[in-house]
Amino acid sequence: MKLYAISDLHLRNKENHEALAALAPRPDDWLIVGGDVGETLADMELMLRTLTARFRQVVWVPGNHELWTMPSEQPPLKGEARYLRMVDLCHRYGALTPEDPYPRWPGEGPPRVIVPMFLGYDYTFRPDTVPADKALEWAWEDDLMCTDEVLLHPEPYPTRQAWCHARVERTRARLERLPPECSTILINHYPLRYEHVRLPRIPRFSIWCGTRLTEDWHTRYRAEVVVTGHLHMPATLWRDGVRFEEVSLGYPMQWRHRGGLERCLREVLPGPRTPSPAP
């Protein structure tokens, strides 16, 4: 039994849609879907209908795109209500979400808990010299604006930061209750550490990429692997003996040269236990 991961499927793109349809079944394995499936409930249902039929278990966490309220949507579904609608949809197909009890990994190896999380961002992934109330201005100086500022509504919370902080506190409380003998597989759409936001062309986009409140979670909560997406820059990184997997598929121009969705699936477990030696 293996645990695979993929994120940022962006099924609004025809080639991504076709690649999903061609994915080979792995009926004995689990799959993490790390957010940004698409912008509509129809995208979510397509993903769930396809992948729950091909894997033993699907585990989903939301990205920012799932939480967008598109202008054409009538009646509009916003914020937490939108998120919970997607949770309900996952449950109809038997997929696990951040709202479910964290499952024990049933495969071989030491005791592990799979931890799907929905945490958000709070604009703290920025240099210390940039004041909190100037974060957006700092990004605008580089002509950067995230579509979230228009389409991702935080209702019933007053701001996206407040929603993020509420999610962090709720998740922290659950993590504190985990059995101390279990290691964890932490899953979130956004990176947990600022240093892992590697965006050389648009570095100031970092403010929409996570929260510093999670910087030490990989050690505090005994992570064996941390699985994230969002950056569209797949990589395996190591910090404090913990493996960090960025598992984005991305847009066709980003994944074609990597051999398609089939080859972009990342093996989380068993996976490497130590970093590869430097060449």
Side-chain angles (χ1 to χ4, degrees), residues 64-142:
N64 53 313
H65 281 242
E66 284 99 331
L67 300 176
W68 287 359
T69 302
M70 304 302 286
S72 60
E73 184 174 281
Q74 295 298 329
L77 191 60
K78 297 181 178 181
E80 189 172 70
R82 183 175 194 82
Y83 166 63
L84 293 176
R85 176 71 65 84
M86 293 187 179
V87 168
D88 289 343
L89 188 59
C90 286
H91 290 165
R92 283 173 47 194
Y93 284 89
L96 298 174
T97 78
E99 304 310 304
D100 296 305
Y102 300 146
R104 293 259 187 144
W105 170 241
E108 296 180 355
R112 303 174 175 108
V113 177
I114 309 295
V115 182
M117 304 184 294
F118 166 33
L119 302 176
Y121 56 81
D122 61 359
Y123 308 106
T124 55
F125 277 3
R126 64 181 194 276
D128 293 337
T129 54
V130 178
D133 61 349
K134 300 295 183 183
L136 287 173
E137 293 181 25
W138 176 70
W140 295 338
E141 287 172 2
D142 268 9

Side-chain angles (χ1 to χ4, degrees), residues 225-238:
V225 190
V226 177
V227 178
T228 61
H230 190 58
L231 303 181
H232 294 202
M233 295 187 69
T236 301
L237 304 170
W238 293 82

